[in-house]
């Protein structure tokens, strides 16, 4: 019998959940399309993936799940290629996979808890993704995702730590924390721990974890504790991806974002002053309703002002039922042209950054098929084939403007203990290295004695 095929579209959270689905479905002749709904284009791509999968595996049982299926289950159930539709909560339960119903989609806004999903390992990925938060309590005027993911809810620290420890024991050397609104982690848990406190506990209680990376962050919620870890802790990768969305204050207000342009610029300045090797990524939307040329110019300039080297650019896409869809629209050709200008500016900034890495030594996580990987700052590197999943030291010798070329170097003995950088290329004591590991926190309870403050 053919192995189940899991097609994961969209965010890193979907990747994490797809591995949990793989563990649930076992050895069935099955295709699962784990969909995305962030834009109309993402929904269209989901439909293409469904049709392509059916053509490639005409006899397989085809199930659609994920955000697009959660938001509009009837439209996917009506597709002749589709056998079943499962909602975002249901896709992670054995009961739903065992049930015969063709459509099982509950009210995601009534879901109050989430948990780490017990995929034994991420067989197709060098790095492992761990969901620590799901849903969103904010209502940006362009976004439909809360209706696909529900309200914000967090995984207790003990369960996260146990999950990460198991993945490290299985051989994963880099872990990525994922969530829909990652920096909103914690207020729903006993003691209201912050994301910074969670990161601190992970580093303390899983000393064998070599590399920890964070997915997209809302800059307005980066507190002093998380800032200190991002800028001082060597095991936390120097790669901060910010949900900026726009660089004009009026557009940000119309998006119902909670930050102003100046706050984003100031945050990046502080981060880079405290840790010189930190790299900035950003999500930016081109052609949001009412955006004129001057407003767009503010967003374009933000790429240079915030030194954005990982630019994720999206032309605005209307989503039915969102407030922004009722605002005066920017013509589609203008949106696409502005998106192209943002991408070009981001590519120029990235090329300059990559040229500056030539001659440096980098530790790269080797990814499939073994001839590529990413640096701590998430620059893509190509080199001669090495074993997938190892952390390989390389010397950067060239760049084509989008990727780096490197030669592998002989392995050096691993440094003992946690260390961190002070922004001047010098190693100093880690913010967490002086804290005794002690017992792991239990999954359902936070221990207030473990909430030790970190000074920025």
């Amino acid at each position: 019998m053919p192995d189940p095929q899991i097609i994961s579209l969209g965010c890193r959270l979907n990747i994490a959940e797809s591995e949990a689905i793989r563990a649930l479905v076992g050895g069935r002749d099955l295709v699962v399309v784990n969909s995305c709904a962030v834009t109309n284009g993402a929904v269209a791509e989901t439909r293409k993936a469904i049709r392509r999968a059916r053509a490639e595996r005409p006899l397989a049982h085809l199930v659609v799940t994920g955000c697009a299926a959660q938001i509009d289950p009837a439209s996917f159930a009506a597709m002749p290629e589709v056998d079943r539709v499962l909602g975002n909560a249901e896709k992670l339960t054995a009961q739903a996979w065992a049930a015969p119903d063709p459509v099982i989609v509950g009210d995601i806004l009534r879901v109050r808890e989430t948990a780490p999903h017990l995929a034994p390992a991420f067989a197709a990925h060098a790095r492992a993704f761990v969901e620590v938060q799901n849903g969103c309590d904010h209502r940006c005027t362009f976004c439909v995702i809360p209706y696909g993911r529900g309200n914000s809810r967090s995984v207790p620290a003990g369960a996260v730590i146990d999950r990460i420890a198991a993945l490290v024991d299985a051989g994963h050397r880099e872990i990525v924390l994922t969530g829909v609104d990652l920096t909103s982690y914690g207020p729903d848990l006993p003691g209201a721990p912050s994301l910074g406190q969670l990161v601190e506990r992970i580093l303390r209680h899983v000393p064998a974890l070599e590399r920890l990376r964070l997915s997209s962050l809302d800059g307005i919620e980066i507190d002093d504790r998380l800032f200190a870890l991002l800028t001082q802790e060597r095991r936390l990768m120097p790669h901060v991806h910010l949900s900026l969305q726009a660089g004009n204050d009026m557009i940000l207000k119309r998006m119902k974002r909670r930050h102003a342009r100046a706050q984003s610029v100031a945050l990046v300045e502080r981060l880079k002053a405290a840790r010189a090797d930190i790299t900035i990524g950003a999500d930016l939307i081109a052609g949001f309703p009412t955006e004129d040329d001057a407003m767009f110019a503010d967003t374009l300039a933000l790429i240079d002002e915030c030194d954005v080297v990982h630019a994720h650019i999206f032309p605005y896409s209307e989503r039915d039922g969102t407030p922004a869809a009722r605002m005066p629209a920017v013509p589609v050709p203008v949106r696409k042209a502005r998106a192209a200008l943002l991408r070009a500016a981001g590519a120029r900034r990235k090329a300059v950054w990559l040229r500056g890495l030539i001659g440096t030594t980098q530790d790269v996580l080797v990814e499939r098929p073994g001839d590529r990987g990413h640096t701590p700052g998430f620059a893509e590197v190509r080199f001669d084939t090495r074993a997938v999943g190892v952390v390989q030291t390389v010397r950067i010798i060239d760049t084509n403007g989008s990727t780096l070329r490197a030669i592998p170097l002989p392995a050096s003995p691993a440094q003992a203990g946690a260390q961190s950088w002070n922004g001047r290329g010098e190693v100093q004591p880690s913010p967490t290295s002086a804290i005794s590991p002690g017992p792991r926190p239990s999954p359902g309870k936070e221990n207030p004695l473990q909430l030790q403050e970190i000074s920025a």
Side-chain angles (χ1 to χ4, degrees), residues 159-440:
V160 173
I161 289 166
D162 288 345
R163 181 78 188 99
I164 291 175
L167 288 165
V168 171
D169 288 344
H172 290 286
R173 301 176 72 174
E174 180 171 311
I175 302 293
V176 183
L177 301 188
T178 69
V180 174
D181 184 22
L182 189 61
T183 36
S184 70
Y185 176 88
D188 55 315
L189 296 176
S194 67
L195 178 62
Q197 289 168 343
L198 175 66
V199 169
E200 180 188 359
R201 293 177 188 184
I202 291 167
L203 295 170
R204 183 193 314 148
H205 293 292
V206 193
L209 173 61
E210 295 179 45
R211 293 157 69 112
L212 181 64
R213 196 179 296 274
L214 306 182
S215 58
S216 182
L217 305 176
D218 192 341
I220 202 69
E221 293 184 331
I222 295 178
D223 61 11
D224 288 346
R225 190 186 210 111
L226 183 56
F227 183 93
L229 288 161
L230 286 168
T231 55
Q232 297 175 33
E233 175 55 60
R234 187 184 66 85
R235 294 159 65 201
L236 188 58
M237 296 295 93
H239 170 214
V240 177
H241 192 90
L242 298 172
S243 179
L244 298 181
Q245 308 302 349
N248 176 268
D249 284 340
M250 181 57 70
I251 292 297
L252 288 168
K253 288 181 181 178
R254 290 170 180 167
M255 288 178 166
K256 207 172 178 181
R257 299 294 296 169
R258 294 173 298 148
H259 67 272
R261 184 185 205 280
Q263 290 173 302
S264 297
V265 174
L267 171 63
V268 171
E269 289 176 347
R270 287 180 61 222
L271 286 168
K272 294 184 80 66
R275 186 171 183 176
D277 63 339
I278 210 159
T279 62
I280 304 299
D283 297 323
L284 293 168
I285 296 174
F288 185 82
T290 75
E291 182 186 76
D292 59 24
D293 289 343
M295 293 170 174
F296 170 70
D298 286 342
T299 298
L300 184 62
L302 196 66
I303 288 180
D304 285 335
E305 291 183 48
C306 287
D307 193 19
V308 176
V309 298
H310 301 294
H312 291 189
I313 308 301
F314 306 90
Y316 170 73
S317 176
E318 290 89 353
R319 293 310 317 268
D320 293 341
T322 60
R326 301 190 295 271
M327 298 178 186
V330 173
V332 171
V334 175
R335 301 179 209 174
K336 292 182 177 179
R338 289 176 180 172
L341 290 172
L342 287 173
R343 291 189 185 106
R348 287 193 297 271
R349 197 80 193 181
K350 183 174 186 177
V352 170
W353 168 57
L354 294 178
R355 286 197 296 273
L357 294 177
I358 294 174
T360 65
T361 299
Q362 301 283 333
D363 291 329
V364 176
L365 179 69
V366 180
E367 301 165 26
R368 293 184 186 275
D371 63 349
R372 67 199 63 186
H374 285 82
T375 69
F378 215 63
E380 184 177 352
V381 187
R382 302 296 178 93
F383 40 79
D384 294 338
T385 303
R386 290 294 187 271
V388 173
V390 306
V391 175
Q392 174 68 51
T393 301
V394 302
R395 178 174 292 115
I396 307 302
I397 60 173
D398 198 9
T399 178
N400 63 6
S402 60
T403 60
L404 295 167
R405 183 70 187 168
I407 53 173
L409 299 176
S412 59
Q415 291 180 325
Q419 294 178 324
S420 56
W421 300 98
N422 64 7
R424 296 187 297 275
E426 302 165 352
V427 176
Q428 62 178 23
S430 163
T432 60
S433 61
I435 302 173
S436 173
R440 294 180 185 170

Side-chain angles (χ1 to χ4, degrees), residues 53-103:
R54 174 56 74 203
E56 293 172 355
R57 294 182 64 171
L59 300 180
H61 191 74
L62 196 151
V63 181
V64 182
T65 186
C67 289
Q70 176 71 45
I71 291 168
D72 190 7
S75 71
F76 289 98
M79 293 182 68
E81 298 86 357
V82 175
D83 295 306
R84 294 190 78 198
V85 178
L86 296 181
N88 258 335
E90 290 76 18
K91 72 183 181 185
L92 298 169
T93 66
Q95 296 90 333
W97 287 104
D101 312 64
V103 178

Side-chain angles (χ1 to χ4, degrees), residues 133-150:
Q133 183 274 339
N134 205 332
C136 185
D137 290 338
H138 310 299
R139 295 297 183 264
C140 297
T141 60
F142 56 85
C143 186
V144 74
I145 295 304
Y147 306 102
R149 288 287 181 177

